[in-house]
């Protein structure tokens, strides 16, 4: 049985991050500074596609007690994917 994949969509400030913080033992992969005053377990701000992949690889390959991975946010991840893809293709 695969773990559930959940996408939470909503306007800025509606409480998506707070909601995700209540998941079982979450670790946050932030691609934007959106945690506000919340004290959350997270990797440092992920500024490149490679940073995101590195964080995911660490979670896959290293021992930890986290049970939920929260990628916050997808709209800030998308340009990183486009930039990575363009660079690999030799495009601007």
């Amino acid at each position: 049985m695969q773990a559930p994949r959940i996408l939470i969509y909503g306007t800025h400030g509606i409480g998506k991050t707070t909601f995700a913080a209540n998941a079982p033992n979450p670790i946050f992969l932030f691609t934007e500074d959106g945690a506000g005053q919340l004290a959350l377990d997270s990797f440092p701000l992920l500024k490149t596609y490679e940073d995101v992949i590195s964080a995911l690889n660490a979670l896959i390959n290293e021992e930890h007690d986290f049970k939920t991975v929260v990628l916050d946010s997808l709209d800030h991840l998308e340009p990183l994917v486009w930039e990575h893809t363009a660079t690999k293709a030799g495009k601007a």
Side-chain angles (χ1 to χ4, degrees):
M1 177 179 188
Q2 288 188 337
R5 279 109 172 130
I6 300 169
L7 174 67
I8 301 170
Y9 177 80
T11 58
H12 176 75
I14 200 168
K16 301 176 297 290
T17 302
T18 301
F19 179 80
N22 289 297
N25 295 348
I27 178 74
F28 283 76
L29 282 63
F30 286 110
T31 57
E32 66 171 315
D33 187 19
Q37 299 298 319
L38 296 174
L40 304 168
D41 288 321
S42 68
F43 285 86
L45 183 64
L46 306 172
K47 297 179 181 180
T48 67
Y49 174 82
E50 290 82 4
D51 290 345
V52 175
I53 296 303
S54 178
L56 290 171
N57 280 330
L59 290 170
I60 291 168
N61 296 311
E62 298 174 16
E63 290 291 322
H64 59 79
D65 293 325
F66 300 114
K67 294 183 179 178
T68 305
V69 177
V70 180
L71 182 56
D72 191 350
S73 73
L74 290 177
D75 60 333
H76 282 80
L77 173 62
E78 183 182 14
L80 303 180
V81 172
W82 284 111
E83 181 180 356
H84 173 78
T85 303
T87 299
K88 284 193 70 138
K91 306 292 180 183

